[in-house]
Amino acid sequence: MSVISAGRPTRPPRTTRPPRRGSDIASKTVVNGVLGLMALYTLIPLWWLFVSSTKESGYLYTGTPLWFSHFDLITNIRNVFSFEDGIFPTWLANSALYSLVGATVGTLLSAMAGYALSKFTFRGREGVFNIILASVLIPMPMFALPLFLLMAKLDITNTYWSVLLPSCVSPFGVYLCRIFAAASVPDELLEAARIDGAGEQRTFFRIALPLMSPALVTVFLFQFVGIWNNYLLPSLMLNTPSLQPVTVGLVQWRAEKASGVPPLLPITGAFLSLIPLLIAFVSLQRFWRKGLTAGAVK
């Protein structure tokens, strides 16, 4: 029996079947199709805005809406900058002021708060962080009325401060900076700096802040875009046209269409107001992507 059993041919081991390539191709096709639809949903309005701003006055609603005809972009830009004694450059300057100052101060405050919540132990630290995290979930329009009442109590409505002060606060920035500081700033490096005699202020600005630079760029970009596109807060706070940002001014132009404002003015102005955002995104894109992914794996 042993000889017979020894002579039996052995069965080859079972091999696992390779995954079906057809299902993988179908799933990739579906995912790519959904991403393509989302890209079209985002890009088509921007393309229409650009094409419409190049058309000659009187030809906005004629011809193909998504292609060029009667090209007259230079005249439209000239009309935007000269209408109402050149108020549009003032609106752009106000938007730049609110966005740059608010984003810069907000980023610095977020970095300091996130660093403190990550590297210092004190009573109520988790409670403070939970309150900040909860405020991220509250929609920003919910803060508009309380902020207006607060600014009215301080008698600073219809001033630059009524828009700048709320713009300097970023709960999302504090959250991101705390996560990034915990992942990218080693405690051993901070202890070595303290042993060498560096104070807390010098340790933060010379060691922690450079290590947190990708997160700071991300916070700055989000804050800059959010302040630039903000409409509700400045529309409540400001009554003087010379103090208003470009978002409020363009909406007023659109509302005054029946009183003689050409329809191409707010369209061309909206296209011009997107150019600073595109410049900021393109110039900070590599830092932005690095800031989003840094700290994901510790």
Side-chain angles (χ1 to χ4, degrees):
M1 291 294 294
S2 62
V3 175
I4 295 174
S5 60
R8 291 178 180 176
T10 58
R11 295 181 178 178
R14 295 182 178 180
T15 57
T16 57
R17 294 181 179 179
R20 298 180 179 179
R21 295 186 176 274
S23 60
D24 294 342
I25 295 176
S27 61
K28 291 181 180 179
T29 303
V30 172
V31 172
N32 292 334
V34 173
L35 294 177
L37 291 177
M38 295 176 63
L40 289 176
Y41 177 79
T42 304
L43 295 177
I44 286 179
L46 298 178
W47 177 253
W48 177 88
L49 184 66
F50 172 61
V51 171
S52 299
S53 63
T54 62
K55 293 186 177 182
E56 188 178 350
S57 179
Y59 295 93
L60 178 60
Y61 302 108
T62 60
T64 305
L66 295 179
W67 198 245
F68 303 97
S69 64
H70 304 87
F71 192 90
D72 201 11
L73 177 61
I74 304 301
T75 302
N76 295 334
I77 294 176
R78 189 183 299 114
N79 293 336
V80 168
F81 278 91
S82 62
F83 191 73
E84 292 185 352
D85 298 328
I87 192 64
F88 184 77
T90 304
W91 291 341
L92 284 179
N94 292 335
S95 294
L97 174 66
Y98 297 140
S99 301
L100 289 174
V101 175
T104 302
V105 177
T107 302
L108 180 59
L109 294 178
S110 298
M112 299 172 77
Y115 173 80
L117 290 171
S118 174
K119 297 302 179 181
F120 293 98
T121 302
F122 54 89
R123 181 177 298 179
R125 183 182 68 170
E126 295 301 323
V128 172
F129 180 71
N130 290 334
I131 293 175
I132 295 174
L133 188 60
S135 64
V136 177
L137 305 177
I138 300 176
M140 293 304 295
M142 298 292 293
F143 294 102
L145 183 58
L147 286 174
F148 174 77
L149 297 177
L150 178 61
M151 297 301 167
K153 190 70 174 179
L154 297 175
D155 196 21
I156 58 175
T157 56
N158 201 30
T159 62
Y160 287 110
W161 295 108
S162 61
V163 179
L164 283 174
L165 291 179
S167 301
C168 294
V169 180
S170 176
F172 174 75
V174 176
Y175 165 76
L176 183 61
C177 287
R178 183 194 178 178
I179 300 301
F180 198 91
S184 63
V185 182
D187 294 335
E188 296 80 5
L189 189 60
L190 300 179
E191 291 297 331
R194 295 185 182 111
I195 292 174
D196 291 339
E200 295 297 335
Q201 181 178 353
R202 185 177 181 182
T203 301
F204 172 74
F205 284 101
R206 293 294 184 89
I207 297 177
L209 206 61
L211 294 176
M212 296 171 60
S213 58
L216 301 185
V217 174
T218 304
V219 174
F220 178 86
L221 184 59
F222 272 96
Q223 193 75 351
F224 182 88
V225 174
I227 299 172
W228 186 279
N229 293 329
N230 193 6
Y231 168 76
L232 182 59
L233 181 65
S235 64
L236 288 176
M237 298 292 183
L238 305 174
N239 296 323
T240 305
S242 60
L243 300 177
Q244 293 172 348
V246 68
T247 51
V248 179
L250 290 177
V251 171
Q252 289 184 356
W253 274 0
R254 184 63 179 174
E256 296 172 358
K257 177 182 177 182
S259 61
V261 178
L264 272 175
L265 284 184
I267 294 176
T268 308
F271 168 70
L272 294 175
S273 67
L274 290 178
I275 295 178
L277 297 181
L278 295 176
I279 294 174
F281 180 80
V282 171
S283 59
L284 300 176
Q285 183 181 14
R286 59 192 183 95
F287 299 103
W288 179 64
R289 290 184 298 181
K290 184 179 179 181
L292 286 179
T293 56
V297 179
K298 185 177 179 180

